[in-house]
Amino acid sequence: MKRLLTLCIVAAAFAAAATEVINLKDYGVRPGGKADMAPAIAKALSAISERYGKQDIRLVFEPGVYNLYPEKAVATHYYISNHDQTPQKLVGLNIDGWNNLTVAGNGAEFMCHGRMIPVAVVNSENVSISGLSIDFADPQISQITIEESGADGIVFRPEKWVDCKVDKRGRFITRGHGWELAPRAGIAFEPDSRHIVYRTSDIYAPLDSVIARKDGSIYAPKWRNSALVAGTKVALRTWDRPSPGIFLHENKNTLLTDVTVHYAEGMGLLAQLCENISLSGFSVCLRGDDDPRYFTTQADATHFSGCKGHISSVGGLYENMMDDAINVHGTYLKVVGRPDDHTLIGRYMHPQSYGFKWGEVGDTVQFVASRTMEIAGTPNTIVSIEPADKAEINGAKEMKIVFAQPVDTAVNPRNPSGIENLTWSPSVVFDQNTIRNNRARGSLFSTPRKVVASSNLFDHTSGTAILLCGDCNGWFETGACRDVTIIDNTFVNALTNLFQFTEAIISIYPEIPDIAAQSKYFHSGIVIENNRFNTFDAPVLYAKSVDGLTFVNNTVSTNKEYPPFHSNRFTYKFLRVKNVEMDNNTFDGPQSMNIDIK
């Protein structure tokens, strides 16, 4: 029943959709072979829209592998949140301006080559995609096995499927279709369990003076790391993230069912400025237990920026990605100008987040003081909004926004301030998912609307399992949570590594530079109930600047899988937290608490 309820908002939109059934094989889109199907898909969509229009269509793929190459893919100029803002994006399946469209994959696999976006859905309404998987033949993350590790360096062997060389300068170079990289960082995995190696975090890999040996191994004399014992698998990577596997932009009512992403050089799925998204059985995962790869995506499995309505992820598998399973947030604009009392100039600040619409006329916004993360003034309404640094929204970094009421005088460029769009913030259900063996964190929620994280398994998430954040100083990702329920989840051995904001298994950690000057509270209304924590270390819950925190009916058990090491030795550690309820929690060992209430 719960699964049906979480999907009803989007599923109801398809009641009268998909009337014309079209088999894409009739338009030359066929699986198998080495032919590039990207131009055939583009040609088919063009012909279908010309004949039938872009409404009430069901597109049917035959099962099998479809090779997609960037050279003849659809060229676009999308600006994508939390990705590198490269000038051009190349798309395999580009769904633009369609309504009441169903895409039936039937087990189709998009095997992509080079650098491209496999699937994009933009400016569309009531789009459903099912039974489709995405992978890349030449992933930009390369994989090696450590053969020797000691004081005189490391000897490693690239996997057979990794195309690599040592160049004339002695650099280890990986390459694929139209790209060449020199990785200098990595993530280490245990060969049998596929867990990230304890206390390794992001590995520095100096691969600029290596020596290729006749037996195919490579000697890296500058690389020394005692944690990388023989047999360790290392996913070598850069920090590039040009494109997600699936891009959703300015859509309403999108449903993805049994869709899988095995690799993307960015997020698995990135959605921005969308209303109502349901993921049912959507996964970012390996190709099974026998997959020779130990990694999936370069960044988050799923990421939702500036969306509204409702977001649900139910019954998914998120594993071995290089960042979080889900991140839901908006974007603070920094106030850089105040032409008059009704007008502000707001700027996108993060270099990977700009160039797309931030708000609309009629949206409700609020203002925040960056140093204390306190609300400044009262909510206001947008009367007009336009790009301030260029003629069009595409590529713009600054917005000129006129408000219905005078803006509080405290909101000005001399007093670091941010603007938060409250209208473009979603409710979230994250239910019955498995998150395991990934870098960084399990899930991040930054929305004032209702959030329910329930019946999930967080298994060796490496860092914090659940993070409630908010930051108007670095990432500029909004905002305060007001209604969060974390219930019936199981947490197994989080915090084997430390990353940003990883203070406990559940970390409520807004970025507040001057908390001593804060008089209000950032987060509120957080309930953590009936969860099971199985941990080798001490910290279970960290909370900062919260009014209203309930931690009841939870069970905490300890194991000896790893030695404890976290600097936080408290089960609970609170800073500026009030209205706390803690009752009927069960522990198999001692518990301690450090509370600072001001």
Side-chain angles (χ1 to χ4, degrees):
M1 179 62 69
K2 181 187 293 184
R3 184 184 179 102
L4 291 175
L5 288 173
T6 59
L7 297 176
C8 67
I9 291 178
V10 171
F14 295 92
T19 58
E20 192 71 44
V21 179
I22 299 170
N23 197 317
L24 287 169
K25 71 177 182 181
D26 297 333
Y27 287 80
V29 180
R30 299 174 181 274
K34 298 181 179 179
D36 179 11
M37 285 292 107
I41 291 174
K43 185 177 179 181
L45 292 185
S46 178
I48 291 165
S49 65
E50 183 176 345
R51 179 176 178 182
Y52 300 103
K54 290 188 173 183
Q55 186 164 324
D56 296 344
I57 300 293
R58 179 181 177 86
L59 300 177
V60 178
F61 282 89
E62 295 290 299
V65 177
Y66 296 77
N67 283 287
L68 305 179
Y69 291 81
E71 285 79 5
K72 295 181 181 179
V74 176
T76 65
H77 293 275
Y78 297 141
Y79 284 82
I80 302 178
S81 182
N82 295 82
H83 282 74
D84 303 335
Q85 303 299 18
T86 50
Q88 186 182 69
K89 305 293 185 183
L90 302 165
V91 186
L93 173 60
N94 193 53
I95 298 168
D96 188 350
W98 293 70
N99 294 328
N100 302 332
L101 171 69
T102 297
V103 179
N106 295 314
E109 178 178 358
F110 286 0
M111 182 59 68
C112 302
H113 303 258
R115 283 176 155 162
M116 61 187 302
I117 303 175
V119 176
V121 183
V122 301
N123 304 310
S124 298
E125 186 170 340
N126 300 338
V127 172
S128 171
I129 302 175
S130 66
L132 182 70
S133 67
I134 292 168
D135 203 352
F136 279 74
D138 51 348
Q140 288 79 15
I141 297 176
S142 55
Q143 187 173 301
I144 63 171
T145 301
I146 303 297
E147 294 193 338
E148 300 175 27
S149 179
D152 57 349
I154 282 176
V155 176
F156 65 88
R157 185 177 299 276
E159 301 291 351
K160 293 180 180 179
W161 42 266
V162 174
D163 186 2
C164 60
K165 67 177 181 179
V166 176
D167 70 8
K168 294 180 180 179
R169 297 164 54 188
R171 298 182 306 164
F172 178 68
I173 301 295
T174 60
R175 54 198 177 184
H177 185 87
W179 60 268
E180 191 170 276
L181 298 171
R184 293 179 63 83
I187 290 290
F189 294 91
E190 298 173 3
D192 295 328
S193 69
R194 298 182 187 255
H195 301 329
I196 294 179
V197 175
Y198 168 76
R199 298 194 70 179
T200 51
S201 301
D202 289 315
I203 296 168
Y204 171 57
L207 301 176
D208 54 349
S209 301
V210 304
I211 300 169
R213 294 181 167 179
K214 292 181 179 180
D215 65 356
S217 64
I218 296 174
Y219 172 46
K222 293 183 179 179
W223 193 7
R224 300 176 181 88
N225 189 328
S226 60
L228 304 182
V229 299
T232 301
K233 303 288 186 177
V234 179
L236 293 174
R237 61 196 288 255
T238 68
W239 298 100
D240 297 344
R241 49 169 76 172
S243 301
I246 298 174
F247 176 50
L248 306 179
H249 173 69
E250 294 201 61
N251 305 309
K252 184 176 181 179
N253 301 332
T254 307
L255 173 61
L256 303 183
T257 304
D258 297 329
V259 173
T260 301
V261 178
H262 295 301
Y263 175 77
E265 197 187 5
M267 314 291 184
L269 177 147
L270 186 286
Q272 63 189 30
L273 301 168
C274 292
E275 180 176 358
N276 298 335
I277 300 171
S278 284
L279 308 180
S280 177
F282 178 88
S283 295
V284 173
C285 62
L286 302 170
R287 301 179 71 96
D289 294 340
D290 296 329
D291 192 341
R293 295 183 194 168
Y294 280 63
F295 59 86
T296 54
T297 55
Q298 171 77 302
D300 297 350
T302 67
H303 197 109
F304 303 87
S305 175
C307 294
K308 67 178 180 178
H310 184 66
I311 292 169
S312 69
S313 170
V314 180
L317 171 59
Y318 302 113
E319 65 180 349
N320 294 76
M321 55 277 180
M322 298 293 108
D323 230 314
D324 321 312
I326 183 172
N327 187 348
V328 182
H329 67 87
T331 301
Y332 287 114
L333 296 182
K334 182 178 180 179
V335 176
V336 296
R338 184 182 172 117
D340 58 56
D341 287 347
H342 283 262
T343 308
L344 295 176
I345 306 298
R347 179 182 296 163
Y348 283 111
M349 295 302 296
H350 196 276
Q352 290 180 324
S353 294
Y354 69 90
F356 43 85
K357 183 178 73 177
W358 183 83
E360 298 176 327
V361 172
D363 287 353
T364 300
V365 305
Q366 67 182 10
F367 311 99
V368 62
S370 300
R371 299 296 299 171
T372 62
M373 297 298 289
E374 293 177 305
I375 303 303
T378 57
N380 214 322
T381 303
I382 296 176
V383 172
S384 70
I385 181 169
E386 60 185 14
D389 58 339
K390 60 185 305 182
E392 59 180 21
I393 192 67
N394 253 17
K397 294 184 178 180
E398 293 186 358
M399 302 291 164
K400 180 182 179 181
I401 309 174
V402 179
F403 299 96
Q405 304 298 324
V407 178
D408 191 285
T409 56
V411 181
N412 63 75
R414 297 181 301 280
N415 181 31
S417 305
I419 315 171
E420 177 182 2
N421 193 323
L422 295 176
T423 298
W424 288 87
S425 58
S427 59
V428 182
V429 166
F430 191 67
D431 178 62
Q432 301 175 60
N433 301 290
T434 296
I435 305 94
R436 65 189 183 195
N437 301 337
N438 64 294
R439 173 189 176 276
R441 294 154 296 264
S443 57
L444 282 71
F445 304 108
S446 300
T447 175
R449 303 188 191 276
K450 186 174 184 62
V451 174
V452 178
S454 55
S455 304
N456 301 293
L457 170 61
F458 295 87
D459 182 6
H460 290 78
T461 54
S462 185
T464 286
I466 296 180
L467 171 63
L468 307 181
C469 40
D471 178 8
C472 193
N473 298 277
W475 289 100
F476 286 85
E477 294 182 355
T478 62
C481 294
R482 302 297 185 207
D483 184 355
V484 177
T485 300
I486 300 169
I487 187 168
D488 293 331
N489 300 284
T490 300
F491 302 90
V492 179
N493 285 342
L495 299 175
T496 57
N497 288 277
L498 298 184
F499 299 93
Q500 192 177 27
F501 311 122
T502 52
E503 293 298 307
I505 297 172
I506 297 177
S507 187
I508 305 169
Y509 196 134
E511 189 68 31
I512 306 172
D514 191 2
I515 196 169
Q518 189 188 65
S519 59
K520 304 173 186 177
Y521 295 83
F522 189 71
H523 291 299
S524 61
I526 299 168
V527 177
I528 304 168
E529 181 179 5
N530 200 38
N531 300 283
R532 296 157 298 282
F533 299 86
N534 187 0
T535 179
F536 66 94
D537 213 334
V540 171
L541 174 62
Y542 175 88
K544 177 166 65 173
S545 189
V546 181
D547 181 359
L549 175 62
T550 299
F551 188 87
V552 297
N553 300 322
N554 299 288
T555 301
V556 179
S557 60
T558 55
N559 63 63
K560 298 183 182 300
E561 187 170 337
Y562 304 99
F565 78 99
H566 203 289
S567 60
N568 177 13
R569 303 312 307 155
F570 296 95
T571 306
Y572 317 107
K573 188 171 184 179
F574 301 157
L575 174 62
R576 294 207 73 249
V577 177
K578 74 172 185 176
N579 294 323
V580 178
E581 179 187 355
M582 307 188 76
D583 188 38
N584 200 33
N585 298 299
T586 304
F587 297 82
D588 68 355
Q591 59 175 308
S592 59
M593 185 183 303
N594 179 14
I595 304 179
D596 183 3
I597 301 177
K598 298 180 181 178

